[in-house]
Amino acid sequence: RGQLVESGGDSVQAGGSLRLSCAVSGYPYNRNCMGWFRQAPGKEREGLAMLSIDGGGTYYADSLKGRFTISQDKTKKTVYLQLNNLQPEDTAKYFCAARIETYCSPPPGGWSDFGYWGQGIQVTVSS
């Protein structure tokens, strides 16, 4: 059975940075759309970034203001999310997700139809 396994979550102070990783195993990889989402307590899940593995096209949530960057290492079948200038409002559980064998579509519709999800990883930012 396939897995998406996130790592890299931590507790940091405001202004700090983290790099989250999502390792893909047991699923196709080379033609996927990979996404990062987050959900804070009491809030709806929020799409952050998407990456088309084949071609490298990316989409981001406008609210991020350029602070987060999605990237990949094909040799490791791993997708990353670099989080910079973290703020307390970034505190949430972060999830990796995949749309298998399809390109990413622009937001807002593109945030839908991710059928494969990791377990999530906690990021906590203190002021």
Side-chain angles (χ1 to χ4, degrees):
R1 181 182 174 180
Q3 284 188 303
L4 305 178
V5 179
E6 301 98 336
S7 61
D10 205 346
S11 296
V12 297
Q13 291 192 328
S17 297
L18 287 173
R19 189 177 78 159
L20 306 183
S21 300
C22 172
V24 180
S25 63
Y27 293 128
Y29 180 80
N30 290 332
R31 289 184 293 276
N32 293 352
C33 172
M34 300 298 299
W36 282 98
F37 296 76
R38 69 184 178 188
Q39 188 164 21
K43 293 189 177 181
E44 292 187 355
R45 187 175 62 200
E46 175 185 17
L48 302 173
M50 292 184 275
L51 170 68
S52 291
I53 298 300
D54 183 18
T58 57
Y59 297 104
Y60 292 93
D62 291 340
S63 61
L64 297 181
K65 298 180 181 179
R67 295 186 299 122
F68 295 178
T69 303
I70 190 170
S71 62
Q72 64 163 323
D73 184 333
K74 280 189 177 181
T75 64
K76 297 180 179 179
K77 294 185 179 180
T78 298
V79 178
Y80 304 99
L81 187 68
Q82 178 69 37
L83 315 176
N84 293 329
N85 191 22
L86 284 161
Q87 300 300 315
E89 54 266 33
D90 295 315
T91 295
K93 196 168 187 180
Y94 285 68
F95 297 87
C96 172
R99 295 173 63 188
I100 302 297
E101 305 233 309
T102 183
Y103 288 99
C104 297
S105 300
W111 299 125
S112 303
D113 298 327
F114 280 82
Y116 302 85
W117 292 83
Q119 292 298 307
I121 195 162
Q122 182 66 32
V123 171
T124 302
V125 186
S126 58
S127 57

